Amino acid sequence: MHRRTALTVSAALLAAAPLLTACGSDAHPGAAAVVGGERIEVSSLQAQVKDVRAAQAASEQSAELLKATGDLGRQKLTGMIIDRIIEKVAEDNGITATRAEIQQTRTAYVRENGGEERFEAILLQQRGVAPDQIDGFIRHEVLMLKTAEKLGFTDSAEGQKKRTDVYSAASKALAIDVNPRYGAWDSDRGGLTAATTPWLRRISQTPAAVEAGA
């Protein structure tokens, strides 16, 4: 597997973001969203938020981190929805991520970003990812990279269109239904309405470069 050491942060899905579609509904009490008929429970979302808040509170930059992630619930829900879109595309194309691939990719990221502690701090600050969520984050990175390689997603106009078409088709097939408590899936914005900071944005730099403002 050809592996990049810069975090792409779901770059393959970003091109498809404007075409993601869903409707809000309160027909699923207790669910933050329903994706492909599977519920994302409010309790699961709250658990992810709690993990991040605990990690932020333990950071020397806790006040800054808390202030910067006031919409963390919506950000995490958006991420959970995106993860399911990534998984569907991978499954449809027979793509998996082994434990060895996840570990190898994590090791590369850690090396490129100045060690484990700094890598964890960058993910917490830039992505709202708690330490115990990192392997899941990297797993989806691996799935996306392998999908891009298998399906030939390139940076050309043709490659970008192909990537958009694939992820758009998957998102539509999943019939994403968001609890209006959290907003609705905005097809133009590629995220949840009422969120102050878009979750979906193109990142082509390493976390270290992002942190430095490069």
Side-chain angles (χ1 to χ4, degrees):
M1 168 185 170
H2 176 67
R3 196 171 283 109
R4 303 177 190 172
T5 56
L7 283 179
T8 57
V9 190
S10 304
L13 186 56
L14 302 184
L19 297 178
L20 298 180
T21 60
C23 59
S25 171
D26 57 0
H28 308 284
V34 178
V35 183
E38 296 184 0
R39 295 161 61 95
I40 298 177
E41 300 291 349
V42 171
S43 58
S44 297
L45 172 60
Q46 290 175 337
Q48 286 216 7
V49 171
K50 183 178 179 181
D51 283 348
V52 174
R53 290 302 189 205
Q56 290 175 333
S59 170
E60 295 179 355
Q61 299 175 309
S62 59
E64 177 184 341
L65 292 173
L66 290 169
K67 182 178 179 180
T69 54
D71 61 347
L72 183 60
R74 290 188 181 93
Q75 290 182 359
K76 296 304 287 187
L77 178 57
T78 304
M80 294 169 81
I81 292 170
I82 291 170
D83 287 347
R84 282 155 178 76
I85 297 170
I86 293 169
E87 288 167 2
K88 174 163 178 59
V89 173
E91 182 179 359
D92 288 349
N93 290 280
I95 295 167
T96 60
T98 68
R99 181 62 195 170
E101 288 171 331
I102 294 169
Q103 187 57 52
Q104 289 167 6
T105 302
R106 178 166 182 160
T107 298
Y109 286 170
V110 166
R111 183 176 60 251
E112 289 292 318
N113 290 282
E116 186 74 32
E117 185 175 345
R118 178 172 169 76
F119 177 58
E120 290 183 2
I122 289 170
L123 281 184
L124 180 62
Q125 180 179 8
Q126 299 293 337
R127 305 289 169 259
V129 176
D132 63 353
Q133 297 169 358
I134 291 177
D135 278 354
F137 172 87
I138 292 177
R139 175 176 175 271
H140 290 100
E141 289 288 301
V142 171
L143 288 176
M144 294 196 71
L145 288 171
K146 292 180 71 173
T147 298
E149 290 169 1
K150 182 170 183 177
L151 300 186
F153 298 158
T154 66
D155 291 333
S156 68
E158 182 180 356
Q160 294 282 345
K161 183 180 184 303
K162 183 176 182 180
R163 178 164 56 194
T164 297
D165 290 345
V166 168
Y167 282 99
S168 175
S171 66
K172 291 175 182 178
L174 288 170
I176 302 163
D177 183 21
V178 178
N179 186 324
R181 168 183 176 184
Y182 299 98
W185 198 257
D186 187 327
S187 60
D188 293 325
R189 193 171 182 275
L192 293 172
T193 59
T196 59
T197 304
W199 182 259
L200 293 179
R201 57 195 180 102
R202 183 176 297 280
I203 299 294
S204 59
Q205 301 164 300
T206 65
V210 173
E211 185 180 59

